[in-house]
């Protein structure tokens, strides 16, 4: 399971998905664009746009399948609910939750994090920090569970930066897969109002 707002999906998301499939030997990587995530204050772009962009971005990653079910839930989305559904749908399967290090540091605050670490191995990819942030990844807050790193060269890219660049009229074609860049352009996403 690899979840995210994917608003928009960018090159680091795709690299992380590829690395997870290869390094963890996954049978399948299910990509879940999130509904209105409880921990993000900003209103996300339309579910249809994020789903379409996720399909464009991850379409070329072997074994990756985009799953839109969290977008159909009313109210906030919780990872633990999706993991429970997956464990019912795939009895006996070993579930793996793939997340970037920034999310891993916040994992202890997620709803039922003790259950999350019981339901899945947590697979953490390093995330390049903003220049001013200090210190390495802080694992001290992680709940007890099974962890597996995903090696990923630091890729200092974020969806926030991409939205800001589009709004400022700056190019983003080096930061998102080509079909996503075209989708953003054609649908006039992230334009300054
Ligand atoms: P935003 O800037 O809007 O907060 P984001 O770039 O962090 O977005 P998300 O969709 O929130 O993107 O991220 C989905 C998942 O991908 C999270 O687990 C996040 O940690 C991980 N991720 C995002 N960008 C990177 C990156 N550059 N390197 C490693 N992991 C990343």
């Amino acid at each position: 399971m690899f979840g995210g707002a994917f608003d928009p999906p960018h090159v680091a998301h795709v690299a992380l998905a590829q690395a997870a499939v290869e390094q963890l030997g996954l049978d399948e990587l299910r990509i879940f664009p999130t509904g209105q995530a409880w921990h993000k204050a900003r209103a996300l772009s339309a579910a249809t746009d994020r789903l379409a962009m996720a399909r464009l971005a991850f379409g070329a990653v072997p074994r990756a399948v985009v799953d839109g079910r969290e977008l159909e839930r009313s109210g906030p989305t919780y990872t633990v609910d999706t993991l429970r559904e997956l464990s019912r749908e795939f009895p006996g399967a070993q579930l793996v939750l793939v997340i970037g290090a920034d999310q891993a540091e916040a994992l202890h605050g997620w709803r039922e994090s003790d259950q999350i670490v019981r339901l899945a191995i947590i697979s953490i990819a390093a995330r390049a920090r903003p220049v001013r942030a200090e210190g390495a990844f802080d694992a001290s807050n992680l709940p007890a569970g099974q962890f597996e790193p995903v090696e990923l060269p630091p890729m200092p890219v974020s969806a926030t930066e991409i939205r800001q660049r589009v709004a400022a009229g700056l190019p983003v074609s080096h930061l998102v897969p080509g079909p996503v860049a075209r989708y953003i352009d054609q649908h006039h996403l992230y334009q300054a109002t």
Side-chain angles (χ1 to χ4, degrees):
M1 167 174 187
F2 178 40
F6 303 128
D7 193 14
H10 53 63
V11 289
H13 293 139
V14 177
L16 175 44
Q18 259 157 355
V21 170
E22 283 165 19
Q23 293 172 32
L24 305 169
L26 306 177
D27 295 317
E28 184 179 285
L29 180 65
R30 268 217 198 189
I31 316 272
F32 293 93
T34 51
Q36 287 295 337
W38 58 271
H39 59 289
K40 293 218 175 185
R42 184 182 66 85
L44 299 174
S45 300
T48 45
D49 287 329
R50 291 186 296 114
L51 185 60
M53 288 191 288
R55 293 210 163 109
L56 292 172
F58 296 106
V61 178
R63 296 179 188 270
V65 179
V66 176
D67 187 326
R69 75 179 74 186
E70 291 193 356
L71 297 168
E72 284 153 24
R73 277 187 210 143
S74 55
T77 329
Y78 296 107
T79 298
V80 69
D81 297 332
T82 306
L83 283 174
R84 281 205 179 102
E85 284 179 18
L86 292 175
S87 64
R88 279 196 294 272
E89 281 166 38
F90 301 95
Q94 172 62 64
L95 300 178
V96 180
L97 173 66
V98 178
I99 50 179
D102 57 316
Q103 297 292 311
E105 285 182 1
L107 183 65
H108 65 282
W110 290 17
R111 172 177 278 215
E112 296 188 61
S113 59
D114 54 329
Q115 292 303 318
I116 292 177
V117 295
R118 261 185 220 146
L119 287 161
I121 294 175
I122 314 300
S123 190
I124 304 172
R127 178 155 190 181
R129 288 168 175 272
V131 182
R132 282 187 304 280
E134 283 178 18
F137 171 60
D138 177 8
S140 61
N141 276 329
L142 289 175
Q146 268 183 285
F147 296 92
E148 190 89 49
V150 176
E151 304 294 337
L152 187 71
M155 301 180 72
V157 44
S158 71
T160 304
E161 180 198 356
I162 293 162
R163 293 190 301 272
Q164 288 169 347
R165 288 181 68 87
V166 175
L170 296 168
V172 294
S173 52
H174 56 303
L175 300 172
V176 294
V180 173
R182 283 191 288 282
Y183 189 98
I184 291 172
D185 196 37
Q186 283 162 2
H187 293 80
H188 312 294
L189 300 183
Y190 313 125
Q191 304 288 333
T193 45

